[in-house]
Amino acid sequence: MKRPEEFPAGMEEALVPWEGSTSRRDFVKTSGLFVLGFSSVGFSGVGGIGRNGSGDPGEANPYPDPDYLQLDSWLVVHEDGTATFYVGKTDGGQGTGTAMRQMMCDELDLAYDRATLVMGRTDMTVDQGGSGGSDAIERDALAARRVAAEARRVLLELASERFEVPADELAVSEGVISVAAEPARTATYGQLIGGRRFDVALTGRNVNETTGLAAVKPVRELKIVGQSVPRYDIPAKVDGSLEWAVDVRLPGMVHARNVRPPFAGARLVSIDESSVRDIPGFIRVFREGNYVAVVCEREEQAIQAAESLALEWEQPETAPFPSSEDLFDYMRGATPVGAGTGTSPRPRVEGDPDAALAGAASVVEAGYDIPFQGHTAIGPAHAVADPSDGQMTVYTNDMKPYSHRTGIAEFLGMPPERVRVIWMEGPQLYGRTAADDAGFEAAYLARELGRPVRMQWMRHEETAWDTKGPAFAIDLRGGLDDAGNVVALDYRARIANYAHVGYNQADTVLIAQLMGIRPERPSPGGGRGPDEMYHIPNRREETRAVRFPLAFETPLRTGNLRDPNGPQTTFAGESFIDEMAAAANADPVEFRLRLLRGTTEDDATFRRARSIAVVEAAAEAFGWEPRPSPREPGDGPILTGRGISYGYRVQTAVATVAEVEVDRESGRVWVKRMVCAHDCGLVINPDGLESTIQGNLLHGISRTLYEEVQFDGERVTSVDWRTHPTLTHRDAPEQIDVVIVNGDPNPDRPDLPHYGAGEPSHRTVPAAIANAIHDATGVRMRRIPLRPERVLAELTAAGA
Amino acid sequence: MRRTVITLRVNGETHSLDVEPSTPLLYVLRNDLGLRGPRFGCGLGQCGTCTVLMDGRAIRSCMRPVSRAEGEITTLEGLSADGELDPVQQAWIDEQVPQCGYCQNGQILTAKALLDRNPDPSDEEIRQGMNGALCRCMTYYRIQSAVRRAAEANR
């Protein structure tokens, strides 16, 4: 079928491997659709718009960084009046690209279908860091909007010169500029600048501040923003025509597979290469330190060789970590790493929590346990690396292609300008591909072999060795006064986040660690309490990291997992708020509103107003009847209940209500209905936002009900979908209602910002479900995941 | 090493291939025939990402030796033959189902096989019929809406 989008076809052109003897100038001439883009963006004039603005770095530096201070790096108008936008972000399937294209089209005054958008190529798009932190819409799109607005301003200036009419007497509509008083006099964007460079410098101390002279449009003038434009990437994902990173095939390419240590911390003693030498297509075994990989001509041969390779490993004398059964006792009993450093910042204290607890009418105490959870991407890690002519091109779904490039360059000892990373679509990112090990491995093997190498991990490897969301053990104490008001809150968390991989660091990716490369000390991950806007006069928040004996080359290395730490800390925080509400015999919604309305005398007023708005909106949309929890339990085999949870992330406020059915006989929990009230400011694409929130909610249900990394004292024993289960079709809610809220105390201001939505709603899910189970059964579930056997055990113990 | 010429019928075309007979069908489709629809997910038949239709039945190509790939094989690419999207694919676009989209090959083909044998499934039958196709972006809610929409379009 004919593709609805031109862009994928162009991407294929761009995938022609770079040849050292061919200048980029020639490449421009021969590469079809991209000719216009390249010729204008700088492939034919790199010296002029290079970062340093001098010389011709083309010869020495094959892949110079696109200069964010040049308009031409961001936006090209073609002769036919269409435009191509270049942004340094990636899209994990939440519609980031579509939304950014909407925003840039709006500022440029160009119809949405007259533009395409290129994302995440280090040689072509400015370094906006790739994806992470749900910041694309909140931060990076604002820079992109300003650049597109500047392009429009320059086009108006060009038209003003052509017509000899002041710019403010011109009108613009969908890429056509006309003289307001003489509508017959028109010029298209293509006529004004098509195929040529703007040559306009921008300003800004860093890429986030990039701006020209033009201001962005006030919200009321935005026409494409706010529409549910269909995602441009979906048709090619549905008809099978899209080329993904996993599909890249290059001439002479060979296939690689890793061989991982059978025990965490094992030392490789010897390899018997004769065990695989007779496998057809066998090329080589690579070994450096404890890193082992096999390379064969065909993919299934490489898989067979990896399975057949005979190795001798030596098990470490000390157990690398406790078993998952003993994890929480271990975490509570271990001496944490020093306070005030890395993962263990100093406690945050307000008021006098100890005195307030001592003087409280009643004190509530509870502990919550959240295990390690895997990313367990649906497609294991993969990349293709091409080492031809002394350069290195990596085709990857790494969500942060820029640090992937610098990390690989450092790892291989190559100058970064001889390395380029081309982001392509891949299985979900959610933080896993912020340090995509496979790209490093493919690049290493490709350089060693001198041929293009395709690496892909196997399922057992992905599940056991991917980066993990850290385990938490959280103990809370709360003090209530005679009237049931919260007077004190004491939050103390232990977090197993001592071997964090960071972003594509050359000394923390798995291949580096297995080779024996070490950072000076383990990379600390972050650790802080739940973000909420409750007014509680006396509180302490303390998060301290605990370490395991094995801190390097460990399968329990942690990495950012969607809304890092948010679901864990909010599970504890919002479950505990519910426990205090129950102790105060208060309705859970009313109890939260009381805490949010406690004061208006600080700078959190804006955040509190928006928090109140989402809690009220969620309760209203659900049809929440005020009463304390738990309800009177029913007699039948199915118990039903409702629970609410609220969270705040960066500048986005969310409240979620879950309605659950608990099967008394099996312990199975089904989240039948969810209502999510969501305030992320200005909404760019309502349907895209709803889809993103739905994904967040269901991913949250999966982590709440099923997901746990299991391990014994030797190795991770979660190796597939049976041993690290995930939500399935059977578990999908019957109804999900997303309520878009704008709780800004001044909702009509023209510059209403757009905040992030890729993660915030995720954190509200675990507590909403646990609170609903408590409402239904009177039983409080404090240990994630809420698998049927665990729920049944608690129900039986409580006689419920 | 046994090497025999294997004959495969894929998307209406016949291919003769000189491959090891035990090679999983998945790698032949992807690496010898250059198809992109079926993708590696687990190699264990647990996730459905590698699904293809064999004589209209959804099978896991990661588990099927190429020597036992008898009958007419249809991949995602073959569903939209003659430039016309299958109603299931159209429903996927109308409901804006995919997020990352990596698993959607398996979701679409599983739905296609389900609707071919049961054109008017109940909600419960959709849940049951689709249950083996995993999605880590958790687009299940929209997938189930799309299956209902495709069933209506077929009516």
Side-chain angles (χ1 to χ4, degrees), chain A residues 241 298 694 707 727 732, chain B residues 32 36 96 127 136 140 142:
Chain A
S241 62
R298 288 180 60 93
Q694 289 167 348
E707 298 186 33
L727 200 78
Chain B
D32 294 296
R36 298 171 181 165
Q96 293 283 290
R127 286 171 186 274
R136 285 292 286 167
Y140 301 123
R142 289 195 176 207

Side-chain angles (χ1 to χ4, degrees), chain A residues 250 383-387 392-395 439 442-444 446 451-455:
Chain A
L250 301 175
V384 172
D386 173 11
M392 185 66 70
T393 298
V394 179
Y395 304 88
Y444 167 77
R451 292 175 72 175
V453 171
R454 181 178 185 277
M455 165 62 76

Side-chain angles (χ1 to χ4, degrees), chain A residues 589-642:
Chain A
V589 169
E590 184 272 324
F591 192 74
R592 283 173 172 79
L593 291 173
R594 214 193 306 166
L595 287 168
L596 289 167
R597 290 185 177 126
T599 179
T600 55
E601 288 173 5
D602 57 37
D603 62 359
T605 303
F606 169 73
R607 299 184 183 93
R608 290 229 168 92
R610 296 171 63 231
S611 299
I612 290 165
V614 292
V615 170
E616 288 181 332
E620 186 187 339
F622 180 77
W624 184 278
E625 289 175 24
R627 57 169 174 77
S629 282
R631 62 178 298 177
E632 283 293 315
D635 295 329
I638 302 291
L639 301 174
T640 63
R642 89 282 163 91

Side-chain angles (χ1 to χ4, degrees), chain B residues 32-50:
Chain B
D32 294 296
L33 303 186
L35 293 164
R36 298 171 181 165
R39 280 182 277 272
F40 176 77
C42 65
L44 306 165
Q46 294 178 354
C47 75
T49 300
C50 65

Side-chain angles (χ1 to χ4, degrees), chain A residues 668-741:
Chain A
R668 178 176 182 248
V669 175
W670 180 40
V671 181
K672 187 178 181 188
R673 183 185 174 204
M674 290 197 115
V675 174
C676 179
H678 195 278
D679 181 357
C680 55
L682 182 66
V683 176
I684 311 304
N685 185 318
D687 185 66
L689 175 61
E690 188 171 305
S691 170
T692 298
I693 294 170
Q694 289 167 348
N696 270 295
L697 297 177
L698 268 70
H699 192 182
I701 299 174
S702 186
R703 290 178 69 176
T704 306
L705 298 185
Y706 296 117
E707 298 186 33
E708 174 175 8
V709 178
Q710 293 182 300
F711 41 92
D712 55 26
E714 295 181 334
R715 74 193 109 191
V716 170
T717 53
S718 292
V719 290
D720 61 12
W721 294 114
R722 295 194 207 291
T723 47
H724 191 282
T726 178
L727 200 78
T728 67
H729 271 283
R730 201 171 71 109
D731 306 299
E734 190 175 85
Q735 186 181 345
I736 302 173
D737 301 309
V738 173
V739 185
I740 306 299
V741 178

Side-chain angles (χ1 to χ4, degrees), chain A residues 156-157 159-161 163-171 177-180:
Chain A
L156 276 166
E157 214 168 65
S160 169
E161 285 165 22
F163 295 133
E164 296 182 331
V165 168
D168 60 4
E169 292 175 23
L170 299 172
I177 300 181
S178 57
V179 179

